[in-house]
Amino acid sequence: MILLVNGKSHSGAKPILPMSLLAVAATFEGKLPYEIVDANHLVDPIETLTNKVVETGARILALTVMPGPQTASSFEITLALKLRFPDLIVVWGGYFPTMYPRAAMSCPAVDYGLKGYVNGDLGAFLQSVLDGTPNLSYPNLIYRDPQGEVVQNRMSKLVDINSLPEFPYKALDMEFYMRPTFLGTRTIGHHISLGCPFKCGFCGVVSMVNGKTSAETPDLGARGVARLVEEYGANAIEFHDNNFFLGEARTRSFCDQIAHHKIKWWAYGRGDTLLKYSEETWASMAASGLKMVYIGAETGSDATLKKMNKGGKQTVNGILQLAETMRRFDIVPEFSFIIGNPPDPVTDMDETLEFIKKIKVINPASEIILYSYTPVPQEGEMLQSAEDAGFVFPSEIEEWSSEHWQRICQRRDGELPWITDKIRRKLRNFRLVIDSTYPTVTDQNLSPMKRTILRTAGRWRFATNFHYGPYELRLLNKLIPYQRPETAGF
């Protein structure tokens, strides 16, 4: 028995379908016994997993690990289970061991790590481990040699997603993952592609795929949607593809094929890619139920976009054009920004905040997501500027699991060296003004009256650009709590 574990990734009650584990489990069907255990679904994950090991005789504990809270949860689970079951084989996969392989293997309880997206033959490697003759030449593998040195094998080619079996949803309680959102009463996660062709200097996806992509055909993607709608009653879907809109013809065909389901949906996209789409394709996307697209606008400076290695043809003027296009088709742009980039974080922040105000004038419905810059292990001007400011990645898993580094990994400013108190105050005040003047459409708890009160209170500050000391907005936020998408999602 292999226990596939999704560590606790958040403190709130927002169940996200563990698609990485479903993808792995699909390749085990009929070959290896497995069970998926989602710690987000459990009061006491360690006790539950302990009982699972005893009841099933499980010999392998395989965890998918993201930087942030899931790293801390996985570390805690791994130590506790290894202490109770010394012969249990522990495997870590996912973004954390891909980006920080040596830190992952600094945990003595982790036996093997896996980098990138593993191909459909992972079961064969795990079977070799169970047989006592582990195949140490397996691509993507991280392990320790007899001297205790960490060895990293080459990464395999990105798997053709069309060749993979469909998700074994029967392995999960699908009702747990159906939740009400602004999109619909039964919203669930899904994806129909892997990777992204760009190599942005702040993005962990680059470590996973190095600019490669693999996308389902429109027919296969549409069949996946039909399955969720017809078999499980979904009426809304969040597509968690790294870059959903990989080709205009593919996008339009997919949209035309799912329109009859009458669902609402959300996805990630590139601004410069979407700006090239025809009016007919935009109409097709709108007719298919597309309600919101998460777009990395990143900054209000073309020079900073270049420093970020954003790639493609994205410009600040292009983002403004896109905001107008999406307004016409009643599709909400959810623009994310990275604030306070070194080496001159104050100027960077000022340019970006002014740019955000321009966006709001053009398209008031635009959602604004604000993050602090968090370095990733990717060589380039962004990382060099951070290191010049004194930034250093931890080398041990204990430090990665700390509250401080959990906040950094969540882009919530865990005391980064270039983010001063002045920057924090200015950014915090701006967030209060922008979130009050334009309350997020994703917050289902805000009544029309509450929205009117918030808008009225914030409008004069937004109009006059006076953000200093918004004490009345802080008080109002306590009386009428509202969510911020970058921390609460939807």
Side-chain angles (χ1 to χ4, degrees):
M1 173 64 73
I2 299 172
L3 295 179
L4 299 172
V5 180
N6 190 38
K8 193 175 287 291
S9 56
H10 53 83
S11 57
K14 183 185 175 182
I16 301 298
L17 196 68
M19 289 175 278
S20 59
L21 296 185
L22 282 169
V24 169
T27 67
F28 291 176
E29 287 288 308
K31 301 173 184 176
L32 288 170
Y34 70 88
E35 187 170 340
I36 298 177
V37 181
D38 188 349
N40 294 299
H41 201 169
L42 305 173
V43 175
D44 189 338
I46 292 174
E47 181 182 4
T48 298
L49 284 165
T50 297
N51 293 337
K52 290 284 185 186
V53 173
V54 172
E55 293 166 5
T56 65
R59 295 176 59 194
I60 293 180
L61 184 74
L63 302 98
T64 181
V65 188
M66 283 282 291
Q70 197 169 59
T71 299
S73 171
S74 299
F75 181 45
E76 182 183 19
I77 289 170
T78 294
L79 288 182
L81 271 291
K82 195 75 165 183
L83 181 63
R84 298 180 191 186
F85 307 101
D87 294 331
L88 188 66
I89 300 163
V90 177
V91 182
W92 276 23
Y95 275 86
F96 187 82
T98 298
M99 297 169 69
Y100 313 105
R102 293 188 177 277
M105 298 304 290
S106 73
C107 176
V110 176
D111 297 292
Y112 301 102
L114 294 166
K115 297 172 65 176
Y117 289 107
V118 295
N119 286 324
D121 57 356
L122 176 60
F125 167 71
L126 294 181
Q127 186 62 61
S128 75
V129 172
L130 291 172
D131 292 341
T133 55
N135 175 17
L136 298 182
S137 64
Y138 181 71
N140 301 44
L141 184 66
I142 314 165
Y143 66 97
R144 301 182 194 86
D145 66 15
Q147 288 72 45
E149 294 297 319
V150 174
V151 179
Q152 302 179 51
N153 290 353
R154 64 174 178 82
M155 291 182 68
S156 61
K157 290 177 60 178
L158 184 62
V159 64
D160 177 5
I161 194 173
N162 293 283
S163 69
L164 297 177
E166 63 181 18
F167 287 168
Y169 291 131
K170 62 180 176 57
L172 293 170
D173 174 10
M174 290 293 282
E175 280 300 308
F176 174 70
Y177 299 98
M178 294 287 179
R179 58 191 177 88
T181 68
F182 83 104
L183 293 171
T185 56
R186 293 177 63 80
T187 307
I188 197 162
H190 189 49
H191 73 81
I192 61 172
S193 70
L194 301 172
C196 178
F198 299 93
K199 298 182 181 180
C200 303
F202 51 84
C203 184
V205 176
V206 181
S207 298
M208 292 289 285
V209 299
N210 194 31
K212 302 298 190 297
T213 64
S214 180
E216 288 184 357
T217 63
D219 292 356
L220 183 57
R223 288 202 296 273
V225 170
R227 190 178 174 208
L228 288 169
V229 173
E230 295 167 5
E231 295 181 28
Y232 296 98
N235 60 17
I237 297 178
E238 299 169 2
F239 287 97
H240 293 281
D241 304 47
N242 302 132
N243 186 341
F244 183 91
F245 304 92
L246 287 173
E248 183 173 359
R250 170 180 172 271
T251 298
R252 187 169 177 181
S253 177
F254 170 77
C255 289
D256 290 344
Q257 291 186 62
I258 70 167
H260 69 283
H261 291 301
K262 305 298 181 183
I263 64 169
K264 304 300 181 186
W265 59 284
W266 169 100
Y268 291 91
R270 285 264 314 193
D272 49 354
T273 298
L274 289 167
L275 195 58
K276 292 185 291 186
Y277 277 19
S278 67
E279 295 282 302
E280 292 77 14
T281 298
W282 277 105
S284 176
M285 292 192 296
S288 73
L290 178 60
K291 297 306 295 180
M292 181 181 285
V293 182
Y294 185 104
I295 299 161
E298 319 306 2
T299 177
S301 163
D302 284 332
T304 301
L305 283 173
K306 184 176 180 180
K307 184 174 70 173
M308 289 176 169
N309 193 31
K310 184 68 179 177
K313 296 182 179 180
Q314 182 159 315
T315 63
V316 294
N317 282 336
I319 291 295
L320 296 178
Q321 293 174 46
L322 184 61
E324 166 59 22
T325 297
M326 296 182 74
R327 183 193 62 77
R328 288 190 290 107
F329 285 94
D330 196 27
I331 298 172
V332 177
E334 190 175 22
F335 290 124
S336 70
F337 292 89
I338 301 172
I339 303 294
N341 297 289
D344 187 357
V346 174
T347 299
D348 174 82
M349 177 179 64
D350 289 344
E351 289 178 336
T352 298
L353 297 189
E354 284 303 309
F355 180 62
I356 289 170
K357 297 192 73 172
K358 292 179 182 178
I359 289 175
K360 280 296 189 179
V361 171
I362 292 172
N363 187 344
S366 300
E367 295 281 309
I368 303 298
I369 312 295
L370 303 176
Y371 292 120
S372 300
Y373 165 57
T374 299
V376 296
Q378 183 181 332
E379 294 300 322
E381 193 173 348
M382 292 282 285
L383 180 59
Q384 187 60 57
S385 295
E387 290 176 341
D388 290 344
F391 180 86
V392 179
F393 290 112
S395 59
E396 303 295 328
I397 194 65
E398 289 87 352
E399 189 174 357
W400 277 110
S401 299
S402 68
E403 284 288 336
H404 169 68
W405 276 93
Q406 287 183 55
R407 289 186 62 81
I408 288 179
C409 291
Q410 292 175 291
R411 298 181 177 182
R412 296 184 186 174
D413 178 22
E415 298 180 8
L416 294 161
W418 52 88
I419 302 294
T420 64
D421 287 341
K422 179 181 178 180
I423 291 174
R424 290 189 186 93
R425 282 194 302 272
K426 187 167 185 176
L427 185 56
R428 186 165 55 244
N429 291 345
F430 180 82
R431 278 173 166 153
L432 275 169
V433 173
I434 203 82
D435 291 345
S436 298
T437 312
Y438 300 97
T440 172
V441 299
T442 66
D443 192 338
Q444 299 297 284
N445 295 317
L446 287 180
S447 66
M449 180 178 291
K450 290 179 179 178
R451 289 180 181 277
T452 299
I453 293 172
L454 289 170
R455 290 192 188 103
T456 302
R459 187 176 293 129
W460 74 270
R461 283 184 174 274
F462 181 85
T464 61
N465 207 30
F466 185 70
H467 305 154
Y468 178 79
Y471 303 112
E472 79 284 3
L473 298 184
R474 292 176 192 168
L475 175 61
L476 192 57
N477 190 197
K478 293 180 179 179
L479 297 174
I480 306 178
Y482 53 83
Q483 67 184 30
R484 281 175 32 213
E486 62 263 41
T487 57
F490 58 81

